[in-house]
Amino acid sequence: MSKAVILGTGSCLPKRVVTNAELEQMVDTSDEWVTTRTGIKNRHIAGEGELNYQLAAKAARRALAVTGIEPQEIDLIIVATLSPHMIMPSTACFVQAEIGAVNAFAYDINAACAGFTYGLDLASQYIQNRPNMKILLIGSETLSARVNWEDRNTCVLFGDGAGAVILGSSSDDRGVMGSRLHSDGNSWHMLCMDSPESQNPDLRYDDYVGPLIRMNGSEIFKQAVRMMEDAVNTLLREQGVTMDEISILIPHQANIRILKKLRERLGLPEERVFINLSKYGNTSAASIPIALDEAHRQGRLQRGDLVLLCTFGGGLTWGSLLLRW
Ligand code: UT7
């Protein structure tokens, strides 16, 4: 059976970098608090010409350039996002038009921060059934438009950006080996983007800004460590792989303390966990593909390496995915 293999990666971050010191001017916070409690120092915030689909398209073009594949050869575009350019059409359709992938069908998925991992699992099912397919999978967010900039509990955490991969089928044992994905809709209220006005149009007023992110951070924190640990251990057991065989863990980048706890519980040394959180903050569905691209460009992913992904986000949604690079 054909496995889905990543043929190329790309990413795009907005030009503007916002430091913790700048946030000190906006809300009651400090560089010291944000650094020690989250590990975040900077985040990139989108400006003119950096709409969600424009960041996504730039990341896609970079991934295509690595592979030498032309946009017209792409059969399917999936964009994982919780901050789409519009509710309709999908951000994926905007990307299609922007890059000229005229032969692709295109749609978005929303599994919050787990979106890219869910998307990789989905793309891998397509390729198992139709090995000739070339799939462009993107995680892309402009969360700055959906953050309440007066809420210090959340506004210091998030950033904008996009990461893309091109998938094809492998002719050897490389590719996506398996995944363990989960959701818990009963706990939706722990992390969501809502407002009473968005649920009831009668309540809307003239300067309505739409739904904004809110989160019970400490509860999410506890669940994230436990659920990701469980999803990783279960997947490795199912695949008959030990932690010693894992070359690198690329986790969703939300909080340095979550990643430290997870790493310790999994018994992984620091050098086998990829972390770039301090530069970008939490970019939700974009965090893993941005990290994958960076790890790839740094030479940290070598042919044949076992690469483990794990993620956790609103929904709740979480999971793990194992692939041979
Ligand atoms: O991507 C999806 C998954 N998301 C996550 O995994 C995020 C998970 N959660 C977290 O990363 C952490 O819970 C946070 C970073 C959000 C918060 O850290 P915490 O250690 O759980 O702090 P807390 O929410 O328990 O708040 C501790 C204190 C509170 O003050 P009081 O009530 O003790 O007086 C907060 O009001 O820290 C206060 N606080 C802040 N202080 C300065 C919250 N945000 C800030 C801030 N600056 N930005």
Side-chain angles (χ1 to χ4, degrees):
M1 194 166 41
S2 287
K3 288 199 185 105
V5 69
I6 294 178
L7 303 171
T9 64
S11 61
C12 178
L13 278 306
K15 285 184 226 44
R16 182 174 165 221
V17 175
V18 172
T19 64
N20 291 343
E22 280 175 74
L23 294 177
E24 287 176 2
Q25 311 303 313
M26 297 164 64
V27 285
D28 181 15
T29 192
S30 64
D31 175 42
E32 197 268 334
W33 192 95
V34 180
T35 305
T36 54
R37 305 305 291 171
T38 73
I40 300 165
K41 295 295 276 182
N42 298 316
R43 69 284 296 140
H44 290 242
I45 299 295
E48 208 178 317
E50 295 175 329
L51 296 167
N52 184 327
Y53 77 90
Q54 292 170 323
L55 296 173
K58 277 192 186 139
R61 279 200 203 95
R62 287 171 189 164
L64 284 166
V66 170
T67 60
I69 292 171
E70 295 297 328
Q72 308 88 281
E73 295 175 66
I74 296 294
D75 300 292
L76 165 61
I77 302 171
I78 303 173
V79 174
T81 186
L82 58 82
S83 51
H85 178 57
M86 291 182 189
I87 303 291
M88 181 186 71
S90 67
T91 301
C93 282
F94 282 99
V95 171
Q96 179 199 23
E98 187 82 354
I99 67 172
V102 289
N103 295 311
F105 64 107
Y107 59 87
D108 291 356
I109 58 167
N110 177 354
C113 302
F116 180 81
T117 309
Y118 273 46
L120 196 46
D121 177 72
L122 182 63
S124 134
Q125 312 295 326
Y126 274 107
I127 284 172
Q128 278 177 25
N129 287 322
R130 292 165 59 188
N132 291 335
M133 277 184 95
K134 297 276 180 293
I135 300 178
L136 165 59
L137 171 65
I138 306 171
S140 182
E141 304 283 10
T142 43
L143 297 171
S144 57
R146 296 287 112 227
V147 155
N148 177 353
W149 288 100
E150 291 172 2
D151 176 15
R152 70 174 183 173
N153 290 292
T154 51
C155 76
V156 302
L157 304 173
F158 297 101
D160 300 335
V165 298
I166 310 292
L167 294 148
S169 66
S170 67
S171 49
D172 48 30
D173 68 341
R174 297 184 311 130
V176 174
M177 296 162 65
S179 65
R180 202 77 179 122
L181 304 179
H182 302 273
S183 304
D184 172 17
N186 286 315
S187 304
W188 70 268
H189 45 87
M190 284 188 197
L191 175 51
C192 57
M193 200 199 286
D194 74 338
S195 67
E197 298 84 357
S198 68
Q199 288 159 18
N200 183 348
D202 287 344
L203 299 177
R204 286 190 191 163
Y205 43 87
D206 284 349
D207 53 355
Y208 173 65
V209 291
L212 299 175
I213 293 172
R214 62 190 175 87
M215 172 167 73
N216 178 343
S218 52
E219 208 37 55
I220 287 282
F221 188 110
K222 279 183 254 165
Q223 301 264 3
V225 176
R226 204 154 41 83
M227 303 305 203
M228 284 195 286
E229 179 193 9
D230 192 54
V232 164
N233 283 332
T234 308
L235 176 62
L236 293 196
R237 209 167 38 245
E238 283 172 355
Q239 293 293 323
V241 169
T242 65
M243 204 59 79
D244 287 346
E245 295 173 81
I246 298 298
S247 310
I248 193 161
L249 170 68
I250 303 194
H252 169 51
Q253 313 280 317
N255 184 309
I256 195 72
R257 292 182 296 134
I258 292 179
L259 298 185
K260 183 166 182 285
K261 271 201 163 59
L262 180 67
R263 182 178 69 69
E264 286 168 358
R265 289 200 190 181
L266 295 176
L268 274 169
E270 260 180 69
E271 63 276 12
R272 285 202 274 142
V273 181
F274 189 83
I275 299 180
N276 61 5
L277 171 72
S278 66
K279 296 187 284 185
Y280 309 127
N282 180 347
T283 57
S284 191
S287 94
I288 289 182
I290 291 171
L292 261 177
D293 182 48
E294 215 167 281
H296 185 215
R297 282 187 286 111
Q298 289 174 11
R300 299 211 27 205
L301 306 175
Q302 297 300 322
R303 202 182 173 89
D305 277 357
L306 277 180
V307 179
L308 185 58
L309 312 181
C310 71
T311 186
F312 190 90
L316 300 175
T317 53
W318 71 97
S320 58
L321 185 143
L322 184 66
L323 60 99
R324 193 176 288 284
W325 192 258

